[in-house]
């Protein structure tokens, strides 16, 4: 059976659709409950597919981030949980040859640096003083995830860019650049976030499985994903 036909992945899709409908309907607390189902269902799928444990750990941190952001007074704890998720993702991509890929494609980190700086300049005046340093650190982690993901796999890179867009939109809403209580804004945030998790998880799990079949040894931390023919990327 194809990994994409798993009941866990189907449940993830249902949870996302239901959650997005509840966000548009502005239905509390049900949208908070469904939000906290999204990442755990992907964790179950990753474990079912025997995917990398560090990916499962990253998704667990995403769940904690989602949970903390729904609780009053835990916004910074939520940011810290998502930051830990990005540390896991960057670690994985570096172990799969991201640094070598970035040496060959130096424009990737440069472009992301420009984008991150531009975003920070745009939202900076509207951020509370106690959020400015955490937002700078988190923006650096988001950009690093995107750069390392793009260096090793296109689909994973698209997922990381969607993550960057989603969290960038959250920052813009907090800074007052967009209405913070807009249901449409919340819908876009969660749609891009859900797609980000889907692309990242499926790209990593499927490429890791193909690489293992080709003789790649994931126990070698400095080894790179073998180059695949263009038709199977």
């Amino acid at each position: 059976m194809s990994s994409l036909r798993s009941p866990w992945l189907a449940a993830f899709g249902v949870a996302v659709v239901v959650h997005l409908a509840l966000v548009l309907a502005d239905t509390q607390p049900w949208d908070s409950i469904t939000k906290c189902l999204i990442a755990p269902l992907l964790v179950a799928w990753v474990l079912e597919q025997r995917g990398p444990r560090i990916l499962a750990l990253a998704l667990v941190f995403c769940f904690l981030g989602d949970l903390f952001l729904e609780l009053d007074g835990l916004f910074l704890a939520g940011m810290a949980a998502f930051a830990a998720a990005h540390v896991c993702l960057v670690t994985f991509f570096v172990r799969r040859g991201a640094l070598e890929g970035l040496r060959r494609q130096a424009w990737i980190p440069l472009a992301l640096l420009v984008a991150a700086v531009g975003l920070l300049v745009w939202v900076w005046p509207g951020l509370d003083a106690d959020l400015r340093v955490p937002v700078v650190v988190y923006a650096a982690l988001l950009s690093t995830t995107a750069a390392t993901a793009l260096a090793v796999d296109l689909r994973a890179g698209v997922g990381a860019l969607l993550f960057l867009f989603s969290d960038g939109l959250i920052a813009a809403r907090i800074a007052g650049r967009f209405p913070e209580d807009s249901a449409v804004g919340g819908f876009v945030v969660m749609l891009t976030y859900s797609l980000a998790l889907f692309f990242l998880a499926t790209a990593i799990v499927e490429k890791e499985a193909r690489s293992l079949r080709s003789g790649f040894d994931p126990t070698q931390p400095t080894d790179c994903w073998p180059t695949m023919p263009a038709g199977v990327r």
Side-chain angles (χ1 to χ4, degrees):
M1 180 178 71
S2 168
S3 62
L4 296 180
R5 296 179 182 175
S6 164
W8 289 114
L9 208 55
F12 164 81
V14 170
V16 169
V17 171
V18 171
H19 175 67
L20 293 175
L22 292 173
V23 168
L24 285 177
D26 194 18
T27 309
Q28 288 281 356
W30 302 109
D31 57 344
S32 297
I33 294 171
T34 53
K35 177 183 180 181
C36 292
L37 292 175
I38 291 172
L41 289 169
L42 272 184
V43 172
W45 177 75
V46 171
L47 295 178
E48 177 195 57
Q49 300 300 317
R50 299 182 180 180
R53 294 300 175 93
I54 196 169
L55 170 60
L57 181 60
L59 292 168
V60 169
F61 281 125
C62 287
F63 157 69
L64 292 175
D66 287 333
L67 177 62
F68 293 153
L69 292 181
E70 292 301 308
L71 301 175
D72 291 340
L74 292 181
F75 184 82
L76 288 178
M79 284 188 68
F82 278 114
H86 287 290
V87 170
C88 292
L89 291 170
V90 169
T91 300
F92 177 82
F93 291 129
V94 168
R95 289 176 177 175
R96 294 300 181 266
L99 296 182
E100 180 59 31
L102 290 174
R103 292 189 189 101
R104 296 193 302 267
Q105 303 175 85
W107 64 270
I108 292 176
L110 289 176
L112 287 165
L113 175 62
V114 170
V117 170
L119 174 64
L120 288 171
V121 169
W122 186 43
V123 302
W124 194 261
L127 294 176
D128 292 340
D130 61 337
L131 282 180
R132 287 180 171 177
V133 171
V135 166
V136 169
V137 173
Y138 189 65
L141 281 171
L142 275 169
S143 302
T144 304
T145 299
T148 53
L150 284 167
V152 297
D153 184 79
L154 179 59
R155 195 201 314 177
V158 170
L161 288 173
L162 286 169
F163 216 135
L164 177 60
F165 176 86
S166 178
D167 284 357
L169 183 53
I170 291 175
R173 297 175 79 197
I174 291 172
R177 299 303 184 186
F178 297 110
E180 190 171 357
D181 58 353
S182 166
V184 174
F187 177 88
V188 174
V189 166
M190 288 309 301
L191 174 62
T192 51
Y193 168 66
S194 301
L195 288 173
L197 295 187
F198 175 79
F199 285 136
L200 282 163
T202 57
I204 291 172
V205 168
E206 292 193 337
K207 189 159 187 178
E208 195 82 346
R210 289 196 300 266
S211 299
L212 286 169
R213 289 195 295 269
S214 71
F216 169 74
D217 183 1
T219 64
Q220 300 299 316
T222 58
D223 206 357
C224 301
W225 266 332
T227 301
M228 293 291 183
V232 298
R233 285 185 66 85

